[in-house]
Amino acid sequence: MKKSSFRNNPALVGLLASFTAIFLGLVFGFFMLGIFNPSFAGAGIVKILTKGLSSKEKFAKVLYQAAPLMMTGLSVGFAMKTGLFNIGGSGQYLIGTFCALLFGVVLKLPWYVCLLAAMLGGAFWGIFPGLFKALFNVNEVITAIMFNWIGLFLVNLAFSNTPTVLANYYGASVADRTANIEAANPSAVIPKLGMDKLFNSSYMNISFFVAMLVAATIYIIIDKTVFGYELKACGFNQKASIYAGINAKRNVVISMMIAGALAGLGGGIYYLCGTAQYTIEKVLPAMGFNGIPVALLANSNPIGIIFSALFISYIQVGGEALQPEYAKEIVDIIIACIIYLSALSVLMKGLITGLLREKGGNQKEVIEEAPLEETK
Amino acid sequence: MIILADILGSTILFGVPLLLVALGGMFAERSGIINLALEGIMITGALFGCLFLRNANLVGWGEVHPQLAMLVAILLAGFVGALFSILLSIAAINLKANQTISGTALNQFAPAFAVVFSWAIQGRGQTTINIPSWIRITTANFGFAPSANPGFWETFIFKSFYLTTPVALILFIASYVILYKTRLGLRLRACGEHPQAAASVGVNVYKMRYIGTTISGFLGGIGGLAFTIAAGSSFQSTVAGYGFLALAVMIFGNWKPVSIFFAANFFAFFKVISSYSSNIPFLPKFENIKSSSYIYQCIPYVVTMLVLIFTSKRSQAPLAEGQPYDKGQR
Amino acid sequence: MEENIIEMRHITKVFPGLVANDDVTIQLRRGEIHALLGENGAGKSTLMNVLFGLYTPEKGEIRKNGKTVVIKDPNDATALGIGMVHQHFQLVHNFTVLQNIILGAETVKGGFLQLAQARKKVADLSEKYGLKVNLDALIDDITVGMQQRVEILKMLYRDNEVLIFDEPTAMLTPQEINELMQIMKDLVAEGKSILFISHKLNEIMAVADRCTVLRKGKCIGTVNTAETTKEELSEMMVGRKVEFVVAKEDANPTDTVLEIKDLSVAGRRSTKKSVHDVSFKVHKGEIVCIAGIDGNGQSELVYALTGIMPAESGEIIFKDRDITKETIRNRNLDGIAHIPEDRHEYGLVLDYTLAENLVLKKYFMKDFQNRGFIDFPAVRKYADRLIEKYDIRSSQGALSVARSMSGGNQQKAIVAREIDYDPDLLIAVQPTRGMDVGAIEYIHRQIVKERDEGKAILLISLELDEVMNLSDRILVMFEGGIVGELDPKQTTVQELGLYMSGAKRNDMREAE
């Protein structure tokens, strides 16, 4: 590709659009801080922007949260490449969590087997939106939402009825959460390889690197393989893919299954760190939904998702430091704002392409779009 | 018998928000916009409705004029919902954004905003907004004292009777009339099916779609308040997926008001069955299973899926829903 | 009184990268039928959309009765008495005829629809102009001909005096076209003025008083039809002399490639079958053309043949093998190529590059993959070869995104892909839709060349000229069935029309 035509580079335009969305989102967040508690607004925005790098421990926390976020982000992004919107990350994440803890705490298996179980669990839950779409033409968004709730209730029911997974079985006083995994089965804890000492934080382990490896794999699948070619064809134009002989229905199911596996793996990674215990609750885990902004910010590009997951995790760590002057949910408002702006990507990309075009200024475009039918 | 009256009364109580929100979804989709933001719209409507009731209670005015306060709260919830829906309209109509994603953004925004806002209003850490108990319509409002041992009708009507129910009934009838008997309805429906055709005879598609989503925001906001009242005595920045259930109700109701009316009550009935499961004699109790209430909590969602399997194949969604309309393109 | 009821002066309309109208001037006299002639993409529809207020021109002015007017939207046009029948009917499919007619011009009392008054007015108009319609029928349930009458009634209901017809005959049978011509003459006799967009010279010669010719957005000139000839008009339209017939030898059909027995296909929206009990054969070395008015089951027949839609009953025998239940992929591999009717809907993945589109049916073959990974250099090499061989033009060659290419080159890409597939049977559905004369000639030559190499060709076309020129055998479809088999050398367009409208039929089995 020639240098002069870099304005045509969709990756660059997408990147600029994402940065614009982040910038405007932060400006809006600052505005919100100013409205709700003006005297702390300045300090607040500084906290959001710097807390994640303020110490080794905080940075370890950023990496720790980024790993599962990256997985749910990849889940949403992968489905998006196939033209599907996977809003069922929460349910898949929960089923993955359940499988990981069942294998780790009850069956006492090592961590990599537990992660595999988490993937399979998530994949199983991801089948449903795909299957309902392929067989009954039910919108995957509605199915995914319904299965988020069904998943939540089933997981709660299953944990409540598996006494050997709960904390009180291992001597704790409470029964509303799962056992401390370090106590129950140390082999199920994701290895730390000494990094916990390096970062002086028990949050630090290899999960971030595992997640990066998964992202790279997904990138290769989407961009380099025959399977990826088919999936993208379905996503861009399902009718044309059917015409070409691609089994679009099967691809819808497989794509949602893989998306589910990724989200399930996210649940496994988070709860096998040894620092988190699953609490039986009546609300869906935010981690599932937060995969959406991660994917959108990165334009569903798997490599981009590594960075957007880091960013979202980073401002969330900053957000926690906002309390008690503000509710930490103010960071969620910023994230919502970024999603909203990402939805306007057509507009943003148009504006950015326009700006670049003015600078680049060449006339090639006319030849490109004007009818070329020749009358020799 | 009393338990039956109780269940039927509660069915209506939970049917009201589903009906209102599904009608809201219908107006948006009939005009061509998929309103996935209904969940968020419900939350914003409920937030402001509940805050108003709380403040009316604090200053003492509410207790003196309970139903007037309630009416204001309802209108406020609707107004805020409509206002909030404009964010969707701008993205989906003017800027031709992806409607699913912009709807999702609003759904992310609303609960976070509700927490931050109620925290800011009520002081640090307090994110639950309590709803005063005087909003309930009692026998006293009709000039007689409650019976010591209420019968079927008294239980059915007065156990959980709120102003939202008659308001919803009026809005339901109005929705039907607007959609089928007025110029607005005819034009709105045309925009959802074939916006180019509507534009070619001078109908302003953008305006119709704005009206569609704004009505949907209004109904969604009121629905949010109605849900919060039905679900308990306080607002906790969530409506538990009812916005999405309402979308399923709308699909089940085939985008038609009367069918939506029955679909909403059908779903509400299952919801109520699930929460009354322990009191209903003939339902299995699963006594050797812990926390067996989770089984029943799944029911509304499972039923939704079953119903969608059977209705989606022959559903007649508006042809142009979800497609941005561009004046220049044809 | 001013002689010109409408005058469009020096209109220029620019789209990104394209000047659709370049300083065009046109005058419509009161009480005349004025034809607007030009090829696809010459800017006829753009000009009329400007007059109707759907587009705002960059330059120029519009005068009505000598006074300059501004038309910002269709409401302004309606207020000035300008109405338009669009090429693609602008009707809401699940509304009744009456609802469609009043939409946008409703009689209301306090916002409530007053249907009784409207019903009377429409009934009167329908009587006066002989436009028979059923006011309470849904658009979904009525014929294309009646839909067009609804469109005309829409204009009359608004008391329009300037009527624009945009390619009104594209969907009609020759008989229905004659009817329409009569209606247009009646309308003019009643004092209306008509602008008639067409690229069909016969119709223009038959009905128009004057004709303005557009070419590539520019106005070439206005002539009186009484003082000109078809040949002169076509030269003005294309800019050179045009051969009306593709030169081709007689066909030399040999073995049967495709045999269809009693094939039926379910309807897409209604319970009525869209194809019922169709049987025919296609042989090596012949072009069999399925003629018919759009929507008589041709699309569904093709979908069933290619596997996009399932057959309800009957058999499809391809090279002596029953493929009725085969997957699309296996049919392709077996040797069926398919140029689809809508290149954007089925033919291309617009967001893929040209190279990726050229291997759309081959990407999985061992030439293009290596253990599950796409062999990009091989794809690129293959694409470059096709681009050169079929002269596909784009800004960045194989790496151009398909969306950025012109329609003609997109179509060439599809034709290249399907022909290079080296099929035994080529199914070509409206392969020249929306293309200009040069590109049409090119594609016709390619199809004849394939036939001469011994391929079997099944051509589905709505253009009678194409049907008559290209085919060796004509099958006519009407309401899902085949109603006749004709020899293009021994039939006339008029006879073909009778079959297409269902007025005439011969029994297929006897003819075989």
Side-chain angles (χ1 to χ4, degrees):
Chain A
M1 195 169 275
K2 282 173 232 133
K3 255 194 173 167
S4 65
S5 65
F6 87 119
R7 61 179 173 72
N8 283 337
N9 187 339
L12 178 78
V13 173
L15 197 66
L16 286 175
S18 294
F19 279 122
T20 316
I22 290 174
F23 177 71
L24 292 176
L26 289 169
V27 169
F28 183 76
F30 182 54
F31 183 66
M32 283 277 139
L33 293 172
I35 288 182
F36 287 122
N37 202 341
S39 49
F40 289 99
I45 194 79
V46 169
K47 269 185 186 169
I48 291 177
L49 289 177
T50 60
K51 199 72 194 176
L53 275 175
S54 62
S55 66
K56 281 195 291 191
E57 294 87 342
K58 286 290 173 203
F59 188 64
K61 187 93 188 282
V62 170
L63 294 183
Y64 161 76
Q65 285 185 1
L69 264 181
M70 209 188 294
M71 300 317 302
T72 50
L74 283 170
S75 171
V76 175
F78 188 83
M80 200 90 81
K81 285 276 182 193
T82 325
L84 298 163
F85 189 56
N86 180 21
I87 198 169
S90 293
Q92 295 145 10
Y93 180 87
L94 281 171
I95 303 286
T97 301
F98 173 74
C99 290
L101 293 178
L102 185 72
F103 275 59
V105 178
V106 180
L107 302 177
K108 312 279 187 222
L109 291 164
W111 62 280
Y112 44 88
V113 179
C114 300
L115 286 186
L116 203 67
M119 279 178 83
L120 290 176
F124 171 66
W125 217 239
I127 288 179
F128 293 101
L131 212 58
F132 277 61
K133 171 127 185 165
L135 295 184
F136 310 113
N137 193 28
V138 180
N139 186 321
E140 78 275 9
V141 174
I142 301 276
T143 315
I145 303 258
M146 295 299 130
F147 273 85
N148 279 344
W149 292 98
I150 297 173
L152 173 69
F153 295 132
L154 287 187
V155 164
N156 284 350
L157 184 70
F159 274 134
S160 308
N161 288 286
T162 315
T164 50
V165 80
L166 295 177
N168 55 354
Y169 186 80
Y170 293 89
S173 58
V174 284
D176 69 336
R177 67 195 59 182
T178 58
N180 181 342
I181 195 161
E182 297 259 23
N185 173 16
S187 79
V189 179
I190 296 175
K192 301 190 190 311
L193 298 184
M195 284 188 292
D196 49 338
K197 306 213 169 54
L198 195 67
F199 281 85
N200 192 23
S201 161
S202 60
Y203 287 127
M204 195 58 208
N205 59 22
I206 62 164
S207 61
F208 181 76
F209 304 99
V210 171
M212 271 176 51
L213 204 67
V214 175
T217 313
I218 294 293
Y219 167 74
I220 291 170
I221 291 177
I222 290 176
D223 263 31
K224 305 291 177 202
T225 67
V226 172
F227 177 57
Y229 176 97
E230 289 193 352
L231 287 182
K232 277 186 295 175
C234 290
F236 284 138
N237 183 350
Q238 187 161 358
K239 283 185 169 173
S241 71
I242 291 169
Y243 156 86
I246 295 168
N247 189 336
K249 287 188 173 181
R250 193 194 63 185
N251 277 335
V252 163
V253 178
I254 294 181
S255 165
M256 281 307 285
M257 219 172 84
I258 294 177
L262 291 166
L265 184 58
I269 281 181
Y270 188 75
Y271 286 102
L272 292 178
C273 277
T275 40
Q277 288 161 280
Y278 177 77
T279 318
I280 294 174
E281 270 194 276
K282 295 201 166 186
V283 291
L284 291 166
M287 198 68 89
F289 293 114
N290 284 339
I292 298 168
V294 169
L296 288 177
L297 258 186
N299 226 336
S300 301
N301 178 317
I303 304 301
I305 283 172
I306 298 177
F307 295 99
S308 62
L310 273 174
F311 170 74
I312 299 283
S313 173
Y314 184 82
I315 62 168
Q316 276 178 342
V317 168
E320 278 158 26
L322 284 178
Q323 312 215 74
E325 277 80 17
Y326 303 95
K328 68 177 189 308
E329 278 79 3
I330 213 146
V331 168
D332 292 340
I333 294 182
I334 295 176
I335 295 172
C337 186
I338 294 174
I339 308 183
Y340 185 77
L341 293 166
S342 302
L344 307 184
S345 61
V346 180
L347 174 88
M348 294 249 265
K349 285 177 191 162
L351 283 179
I352 289 165
T353 311
L355 282 175
L356 290 174
R357 184 176 302 166
E358 268 171 35
K359 279 186 188 163
N362 68 39
Q363 312 86 330
K364 236 172 150 189
E365 199 73 20
V366 181
I367 308 168
E368 208 174 294
E369 284 173 12
L372 263 180
E373 272 100 312
E374 284 297 305
T375 43
K376 272 176 254 172
Chain B
M1 275 319 269
I2 297 300
I3 178 98
L4 184 65
D6 212 352
I7 289 174
L8 291 180
S10 300
T11 298
I12 292 173
L13 185 67
F14 279 95
V16 160
L18 280 178
L19 170 68
L20 288 171
V21 181
L23 286 173
M26 176 195 77
F27 272 105
E29 297 214 356
R30 276 296 182 110
S31 77
I33 302 292
I34 294 179
N35 189 349
L36 214 60
L38 283 170
E39 180 94 357
I41 289 171
M42 286 177 77
I43 292 174
T44 12
L47 169 68
F48 284 90
C50 292
L51 273 179
F52 174 80
L53 290 173
R54 167 188 173 271
N55 286 348
N57 190 42
L58 284 181
V59 298
W61 175 74
E63 201 155 5
V64 185
H65 306 284
Q67 294 317 317
L68 183 62
M70 187 62 188
L71 186 65
V72 176
I74 289 173
L75 291 175
L76 183 68
F79 176 74
V80 172
L83 209 62
F84 190 57
S85 75
I86 288 178
L87 284 174
L88 176 71
S89 303
I90 293 172
I93 302 170
N94 300 91
L95 304 176
K96 299 169 189 55
N98 181 318
Q99 298 178 7
T100 307
I101 297 173
S102 35
T104 304
L106 298 190
N107 288 340
Q108 294 269 102
F109 178 85
F113 179 78
V115 170
V116 172
F117 196 72
S118 35
W119 175 306
I121 296 255
Q122 301 196 115
R124 287 171 185 183
Q126 293 183 43
T127 54
T128 299
I129 303 172
N130 291 315
I131 304 169
S133 58
W134 42 254
I135 58 169
R136 191 163 74 88
I137 299 175
T138 59
T139 50
N141 295 67
F142 292 86
F144 61 95
S147 334
N149 208 349
F152 180 87
W153 290 107
E154 195 178 329
T155 308
F156 174 59
I157 297 171
F158 287 107
K159 174 109 188 255
S160 38
F161 188 23
Y162 298 94
L163 190 61
T164 42
T165 306
V167 165
L169 200 63
I170 293 167
L171 288 172
F172 162 63
I173 295 168
S175 296
Y176 180 86
V177 171
I178 288 173
L179 198 64
Y180 291 118
K181 301 290 174 198
T182 67
R183 172 169 60 189
L184 175 67
L186 188 76
R187 292 182 171 195
L188 192 113
R189 284 185 287 144
C191 292
E193 299 291 342
H194 195 341
Q196 286 78 11
S200 77
V201 289
V203 173
N204 185 336
V205 178
Y206 290 180
K207 184 173 139 195
M208 285 300 131
R209 290 191 164 181
Y210 258 95
I211 292 175
T213 36
T214 307
I215 293 177
S216 114
F218 181 75
L219 294 173
I222 297 177
L225 181 62
F227 170 81
T228 309
I229 288 167
S233 57
S234 65
F235 171 74
Q236 287 160 337
S237 304
T238 174
V239 292
Y242 262 60
F244 293 103
L245 267 178
L247 281 177
V249 166
M250 172 197 72
I251 296 172
F252 182 31
N254 223 344
W255 292 267
K256 294 190 176 88
V258 178
S259 312
I260 286 173
F261 177 84
F262 289 109
N265 286 303
F266 173 83
F267 276 99
F269 179 72
F270 278 100
K271 156 80 191 168
V272 170
I273 290 282
S274 74
S275 49
Y276 276 72
S277 57
S278 54
N279 298 330
I280 301 174
F282 53 87
L283 287 178
K285 292 287 177 295
F286 302 112
E287 274 171 5
N288 44 4
I289 294 178
K290 286 180 195 155
S291 314
S292 61
S293 68
Y294 287 125
I295 299 175
Y296 286 102
Q297 285 182 23
C298 282
I299 288 178
Y301 305 96
V302 173
V303 169
T304 305
M305 287 322 304
L306 290 176
V307 163
L308 285 178
I309 288 177
F310 292 110
T311 52
S312 269
K313 277 235 156 146
R314 55 172 187 83
S315 74
Q316 291 175 325
L319 279 185
E321 70 167 15
Q323 295 165 8
Y325 172 73
D326 193 337
K327 267 183 194 162
Q329 255 173 17
R330 43 189 49 252
Chain C
M1 201 191 262
E2 174 77 26
E3 186 193 21
N4 294 326
I5 186 162
I6 291 287
E7 197 177 3
M8 298 180 79
R9 293 165 59 92
H10 308 294
I11 301 291
T12 297
K13 171 72 198 169
V14 181
F15 292 116
L18 173 74
V19 183
N21 289 147
D22 186 358
D23 193 26
V24 174
T25 296
I26 176 171
Q27 283 128 358
L28 175 67
R29 290 184 191 148
R30 190 177 301 281
E32 76 165 342
I33 299 180
H34 191 123
L36 196 54
L37 173 69
E39 289 202 65
N40 288 302
K44 306 175 302 252
S45 291
T46 307
L47 186 66
M48 288 303 105
N49 283 331
V50 166
L51 179 56
F52 194 56
L54 289 167
Y55 294 150
T56 314
E58 271 71 29
K59 279 192 207 123
E61 61 165 1
I62 300 170
R63 292 183 184 176
K64 168 104 194 282
N65 292 328
K67 279 192 229 78
T68 303
V69 292
V70 178
I71 305 177
K72 294 188 305 296
D73 56 46
N75 286 330
D76 291 350
T78 305
L80 289 165
I82 301 169
M84 181 161 175
V85 176
H86 299 264
Q87 189 175 355
H88 302 288
F89 296 154
Q90 301 292 322
L91 299 171
V92 180
H93 73 107
N94 60 354
F95 277 18
T96 65
V97 168
L98 183 63
Q99 285 173 328
N100 266 293
I101 292 173
I102 63 166
L103 180 65
E106 306 88 347
T107 322
V108 287
K109 204 181 254 173
F112 288 91
L113 295 167
Q114 305 294 312
L115 289 176
Q117 288 173 347
R119 180 180 295 273
K120 179 154 190 325
K121 184 170 174 188
V122 176
D124 289 348
L125 285 168
S126 152
E127 182 123 339
K128 182 175 172 192
Y129 291 96
L131 296 159
K132 275 185 76 180
V133 289
N134 174 1
L135 290 182
D136 297 308
L138 294 179
I139 296 299
D140 267 339
D141 299 335
I142 64 177
T143 64
V144 175
M146 193 184 282
Q147 288 178 14
Q148 187 163 53
R149 295 198 283 277
V150 175
E151 286 281 13
I152 297 173
L153 279 170
K154 265 164 82 175
M155 296 193 296
L156 298 175
Y157 183 77
R158 288 160 173 75
D159 300 321
N160 295 146
E161 45 179 355
V162 175
L163 311 180
I164 307 167
F165 286 84
D166 189 357
E167 305 259 4
T169 60
M171 315 268 275
L172 304 183
T173 65
Q175 285 72 24
E176 280 177 322
I177 291 172
N178 288 340
E179 241 171 75
L180 177 67
M181 301 277 157
Q182 193 52 49
I183 290 171
M184 286 167 77
K185 285 178 182 157
D186 292 346
L187 288 167
V188 171
E190 289 282 336
K192 312 282 186 192
S193 312
I194 292 180
L195 270 162
F196 170 44
I197 306 178
S198 182
H199 63 272
K200 293 181 181 163
L201 299 167
N202 293 333
E203 291 166 10
I204 289 174
M205 296 303 284
V207 75
D209 300 306
R210 292 195 303 155
C211 176
T212 297
V213 183
L214 293 185
R215 184 167 78 226
K216 292 191 172 165
K218 288 199 174 66
C219 185
I220 302 299
T222 303
V223 291
N224 290 326
T225 47
E227 296 159 14
T228 187
T229 60
K230 265 172 70 176
E231 285 69 25
E232 195 184 334
L233 280 179
S234 76
E235 212 179 316
M236 285 174 77
M237 169 168 81
V238 184
R240 67 190 167 101
K241 284 208 161 48
V242 182
E243 286 178 50
F244 282 100
V245 183
V246 189
K248 69 175 175 49
E249 313 270 306
D250 281 349
N252 204 353
T254 54
D255 309 346
T256 304
V257 172
L258 177 74
E259 181 175 6
I260 296 169
K261 293 183 191 162
D262 298 321
L263 183 74
S264 293
V265 183
R268 273 187 283 190
R269 247 196 232 143
S270 64
T271 49
K272 215 172 104 190
K273 285 179 190 173
S274 49
V275 176
H276 62 82
D277 305 313
V278 165
S279 305
F280 63 87
K281 288 179 183 172
V282 186
H283 305 92
K284 277 188 179 173
E286 69 168 346
I287 299 175
V288 174
C289 180
I290 307 232
I293 302 153
D294 198 12
N296 274 287
Q298 302 98 314
S299 308
E300 290 81 1
L301 173 66
V302 169
Y303 291 156
L305 290 181
T306 52
I308 291 172
M309 269 175 91
E312 203 174 71
S313 62
E315 280 174 57
I316 304 166
I317 316 277
F318 179 64
K319 295 196 288 187
D320 301 325
R321 205 164 69 79
D322 186 349
I323 58 159
T324 317
K325 297 257 182 307
E326 270 302 353
T327 60
I328 300 173
R329 172 65 48 86
N330 284 341
R331 294 183 206 215
N332 291 344
L333 291 173
D334 238 24
I336 296 182
H338 172 199
I339 299 172
E341 74 181 299
D342 187 323
R343 56 180 166 260
H344 290 173
E345 200 179 17
Y346 281 103
L348 294 168
V349 178
L350 288 173
D351 296 292
Y352 267 173
T353 61
L354 176 55
E356 284 169 320
N357 272 294
L358 288 172
V359 294
L360 194 59
K361 286 179 171 177
K362 288 188 166 180
Y363 64 91
F364 54 90
M365 293 179 176
K366 65 176 189 309
D367 293 353
F368 300 112
Q369 69 149 309
N370 187 2
R371 289 184 202 150
F373 290 87
I374 300 243
D375 182 351
F376 285 101
V379 170
R380 180 72 196 272
K381 228 169 108 188
Y382 175 74
D384 285 340
R385 185 171 72 72
L386 288 196
I387 289 168
E388 165 130 23
K389 185 171 168 196
Y390 293 91
D391 190 29
I392 306 164
R393 302 186 183 194
S394 59
S395 57
Q396 289 165 312
L399 295 182
S400 312
V401 175
R403 190 182 291 285
S404 72
M405 294 164 58
S406 71
N409 280 293
Q410 289 175 346
Q411 187 74 6
K412 271 188 182 175
I414 294 173
V415 170
R417 181 181 71 210
E418 298 307 309
I419 289 181
D420 205 75
Y421 204 73
D422 196 21
D424 296 309
L425 171 69
L426 173 65
I427 301 175
V429 189
Q430 299 189 54
T432 58
R433 183 163 90 164
M435 308 186 74
D436 72 12
V437 172
I440 291 174
E441 277 177 2
Y442 175 85
I443 287 174
H444 282 177
R445 275 201 305 274
Q446 294 292 337
I447 289 175
V448 172
K449 196 167 139 240
E450 287 299 297
R451 182 203 70 170
D452 292 343
E453 284 172 13
K455 305 284 162 61
I457 315 274
L458 183 66
L459 174 73
I460 285 82
S461 179
L462 305 176
E463 296 277 339
L464 290 183
D465 290 342
E466 187 168 79
V467 173
M468 296 298 278
N469 288 339
L470 214 52
S471 58
D472 301 313
R473 208 146 57 86
I474 301 172
L475 300 171
V476 185
M477 256 187 118
F478 175 71
E479 292 193 338
I482 294 207
V483 293
E485 171 165 350
L486 302 166
D487 181 345
K489 290 204 205 70
Q490 290 168 9
T491 189
T492 61
V493 170
Q494 278 66 31
E495 192 187 6
L496 196 54
L498 289 175
Y499 281 99
M500 283 165 65
S501 61
K504 202 173 166 188
R505 54 177 70 211
N506 64 26
D507 197 312
M508 276 290 299
R509 259 155 275 224
E510 265 170 54
E512 280 272 304

